[in-house]
Amino acid sequence: QVQLVESGGGLVQTGGSLRLSCAASGRTFSPYAMGWFRQAPGKGREFVAAVRWSIGSTNYADSVKGRFTISRDNGKNAVYLQMNSLKPEDTAVYYCAASRYSTVVFTTQAYDFWGQGTQVTVSS
């Protein structure tokens, strides 16, 4: 029904920047929130950032606060993640997700739709 496609991942050196994009498609797209999660090798999928679709309020994991910025473009059905001051520990597959109803935006269970993921690798 709803499909999410991420793009913008790649290889960057420590201290560099990347901007991830997520495009959503579907007949009706009015989620409560859109979020970004990441999963490093051998680790579970962890919350990175979320934005409430209607008003644009944001939430961030402590590990990325001050370095990452989530934003959305309602007209384009798109969300973005600007990642600055990247560190090797940011290396992971990054996933875009959409929550239809839940206000608990920091858990994977809150999200109904997921993208395929895009690899971000930060080298030292």
Side-chain angles (χ1 to χ4, degrees):
Q1 187 170 331
V2 174
Q3 296 183 3
L4 306 175
V5 180
E6 304 97 332
S7 62
L11 176 64
V12 65
Q13 293 184 340
T14 297
S17 298
L18 285 173
R19 185 172 185 261
L20 306 183
S21 299
C22 174
S25 63
R27 182 181 180 185
T28 301
F29 189 71
S30 298
Y32 178 82
M34 296 286 292
W36 287 96
F37 290 76
R38 66 187 182 185
Q39 187 166 14
K43 298 179 63 178
R45 193 166 297 185
E46 66 175 350
F47 171 76
V48 176
V51 59
R52 183 172 171 181
W53 195 249
S54 62
I55 63 174
S57 58
T58 59
N59 296 91
Y60 296 94
D62 289 340
S63 59
V64 306
K65 192 173 298 182
R67 299 187 298 119
F68 292 9
T69 302
I70 187 172
S71 61
R72 95 289 195 211
D73 187 331
N74 303 68
K76 295 182 178 180
N77 289 342
V79 295
Y80 309 94
L81 186 68
Q82 179 66 46
M83 305 185 294
N84 299 325
S85 302
L86 283 163
K87 307 173 182 179
E89 50 263 45
D90 295 317
T91 296
V93 177
Y94 283 71
Y95 297 90
C96 175
S99 175
R100 293 199 299 166
Y101 311 115
S102 181
T103 61
V104 186
V105 298
F106 51 86
T107 63
T108 59
Q109 292 180 330
Y111 293 85
D112 305 286
F113 307 99
W114 294 84
Q116 83 287 353
T118 184
Q119 177 70 48
V120 172
T121 302
V122 184
S123 65
S124 59

